[in-house]
Amino acid sequence: MKIDCIEIYHLELPMAQPIETKLGTWDKWETVLVRMLSGDAEGWGEASPGNAPVFYPESAATVFHIVHRHLAPRMVGKYVQTPEQLLELLDPVMGNCHARAAVDCAWWDLFARRQNQPLHHVLNGKYEELTLGVSFDRMPRIEDLLQAIGEAFEAGFSRVELKLRPGWDASMLNIVRREFPTQNIHADVEGAMGLQHMELLCRLDDFFLTMLEQPLPAEDLVGMAMVQDTIRTPLGLDEAIFSLRQAELALELKSGRYVQIKLGQLGGITTAVKVHDACQESATPCWVGTMPDSGVGTRAAYAVASLDNCAFPTGYLLAHQRPVETLVPLPQPVRTAPDQPAVIQLWNEPGIGPTPDMQKLARFCIAEAAVRPQ
């Protein structure tokens, strides 16, 4: 299919609740949408790294610039029939995984829409419904956390992830486990520990966590393997998985027993599927994470979460953790019975389903550009 035009939109979406970051408090979340046109068909992709390089090395502003000046010009006017051809066009631009993801996901949505098939079917997904997990950070009072966890399990979420912070680690987990002794709980360290914390890491075995996510920094795959060899709690890899090569090395070193797939971090669906397949071959289950966004990126993530080896519940953001409004509707969790988990049903429409509401897009857009053949 020939890429006739690529449009790029930089948005500011008001958050339901402000987000505390190392660079201040954000009451709006910045994201970038890419619209790819081919004949009378269109595809949408999104990159949502945030307002500044806090969570990732990129920001929405850098994504907008890289797509506009470097990635889109390499694609417009070209015939791109396969994901391999797409990668070949994008490969000269180093790094900038989120910018690549926005373009890559737009191509996959366009590709699926031209086939009149849902994206998860084009990807040969196994699941038509997804179980879900939620995440909670440090709260002012432990009672607030216990209430939030209880409400999550009562609503049918299949797992709860807890962020560990200094002074909010073993003692917090001890209280949580007394209240919820058998539920599916895992903890996320976000790479904040080192091998010097081995005594604490060993203590965490006492809480029978489903997994301990990213205890060491992303680059320390050898250290992660040493921790995994020492403690019985399975380790989950998140920030460490930013390329297929890194994933393959982590699997070879046995640095963890679970792998999280994030489309922005991996540069889009094409590489995410390759990482999924490598994990499946190594019998290492995956799960898919999401970020605050307009809904376009979340729908693409859900499509990838339908793949066979995505056996751990998909990340789900609660209403207070997301922007106030999305540009496309998101599937809502439903329960068929009190003893059944909450699930989201995937869609039957082509691609990622609905396209963004252009009136809403115009309200939140702070910059836009279009790239056409010269």
Side-chain angles (χ1 to χ4, degrees):
M1 56 191 178
K2 184 181 179 182
I3 310 303
D4 296 321
C5 177
I6 294 179
E7 300 170 357
I8 312 105
Y9 301 94
H10 184 180
L11 310 179
E12 277 187 344
L13 302 174
M15 290 296 295
Q17 290 185 6
I19 294 180
E20 299 288 339
T21 78
K22 296 176 182 178
L23 291 180
T25 301
W26 301 348
D27 59 2
K28 295 181 180 178
W29 185 273
E30 296 183 26
T31 187
V32 174
L33 288 180
V34 168
R35 184 188 190 198
M36 190 174 293
L37 301 167
S38 177
D40 59 356
E42 63 180 337
W44 287 85
E46 182 169 17
S48 188
N51 311 6
V54 175
F55 302 101
Y56 300 101
E58 298 166 84
S59 68
T62 66
V63 167
F64 183 87
H65 173 78
I66 294 296
V67 174
H68 180 208
R69 295 296 185 183
H70 301 290
L71 296 180
R74 296 191 59 79
M75 294 190 65
V76 293
K78 307 284 179 57
Y79 286 88
V80 187
Q81 304 293 98
T82 67
E84 288 73 27
Q85 291 176 336
L86 176 65
L87 284 183
E88 186 177 347
L89 285 171
L90 301 184
D91 271 352
V93 178
M94 296 185 63
N96 292 282
C97 291
H98 282 81
R100 293 165 63 99
V103 174
D104 180 277
C105 292
W107 182 88
W108 274 102
D109 185 38
L110 174 63
F111 182 68
R113 290 180 190 274
R114 286 178 64 94
Q115 296 188 51
N116 200 33
Q117 292 289 321
L119 178 55
H120 52 283
H121 289 180
V122 172
L123 296 174
N124 297 315
K126 173 184 177 182
Y127 306 110
E128 292 294 334
E129 60 182 32
L130 307 176
T131 58
L132 306 168
V134 294
S135 175
F136 298 114
D137 209 330
R138 186 170 189 161
M139 295 187 181
R141 302 184 310 150
I142 190 67
E143 293 80 9
D144 298 330
L145 178 64
L146 296 177
Q147 180 179 345
I149 295 172
E151 290 173 351
F153 285 127
E154 183 66 25
F157 290 105
S158 296
R159 64 169 174 86
V160 164
E161 170 191 322
L162 303 177
K163 304 291 186 183
L164 299 191
R165 307 295 183 195
W168 189 258
D169 39 53
S171 58
M172 177 270 291
L173 288 174
N174 187 44
I175 297 171
V176 168
R177 262 303 178 218
R178 287 206 306 267
E179 188 75 17
F180 304 99
T182 60
Q183 283 86 340
N184 188 351
I185 292 173
H186 82 273
D188 184 8
V189 185
E190 296 182 333
M193 293 186 182
L195 291 178
Q196 70 272 22
H197 298 104
M198 190 64 81
E199 181 179 351
L200 174 57
L201 290 167
C202 290
R203 280 188 62 200
L204 297 181
D205 273 345
D206 296 340
F207 305 113
F208 297 96
L209 300 170
T210 306
M211 78 168 78
L212 182 63
E213 185 179 335
Q214 200 64 51
L216 272 56
E219 64 276 8
D220 195 0
L221 292 178
V222 173
M224 289 278 289
M226 294 171 63
V227 173
Q228 184 64 96
D229 195 48
T230 303
I231 69 175
R232 67 172 181 268
T233 303
L235 299 188
L237 303 174
D238 176 5
E239 289 87 351
I241 307 301
F242 53 81
S243 70
L244 176 60
R245 177 180 294 184
Q246 185 80 351
E248 290 173 336
L249 180 57
L251 294 169
E252 183 177 348
L253 291 171
K254 298 184 177 0
S255 300
R257 297 179 191 160
Y258 290 91
V259 165
Q260 180 165 209
I261 291 174
K262 287 183 176 174
L263 301 190
Q265 195 165 280
L266 284 168
I269 292 171
T270 304
T271 301
V273 171
K274 292 178 185 294
V275 169
H276 165 274
D277 293 348
C279 291
Q280 187 169 36
E281 188 174 337
S282 297
T284 303
C286 300
W287 84 102
V288 174
T290 59
M291 294 289 286
D293 62 22
S294 74
V296 169
T298 296
R299 279 182 165 265
Y302 287 166
V304 172
S306 74
L307 296 176
D308 189 18
N309 194 49
C310 293
F312 199 63
T314 304
Y316 181 82
L317 296 181
L318 297 168
H320 70 274
Q321 298 169 329
R322 301 196 303 257
V324 175
E325 295 186 69
T326 59
L327 302 189
V328 296
L330 291 175
Q332 295 301 304
V334 295
R335 299 182 82 178
T336 57
D339 60 343
Q340 295 298 310
V343 298
I344 55 170
Q345 300 286 338
L346 298 182
W347 51 92
N348 295 317
E349 300 93 339
I352 62 168
T355 56
D357 182 321
M358 297 303 291
Q359 289 186 334
K360 282 187 181 180
L361 188 152
R363 272 171 45 207
F364 300 127
C365 186
I366 59 174
E368 62 182 287
V371 179
R372 298 178 176 87
Q374 294 183 344

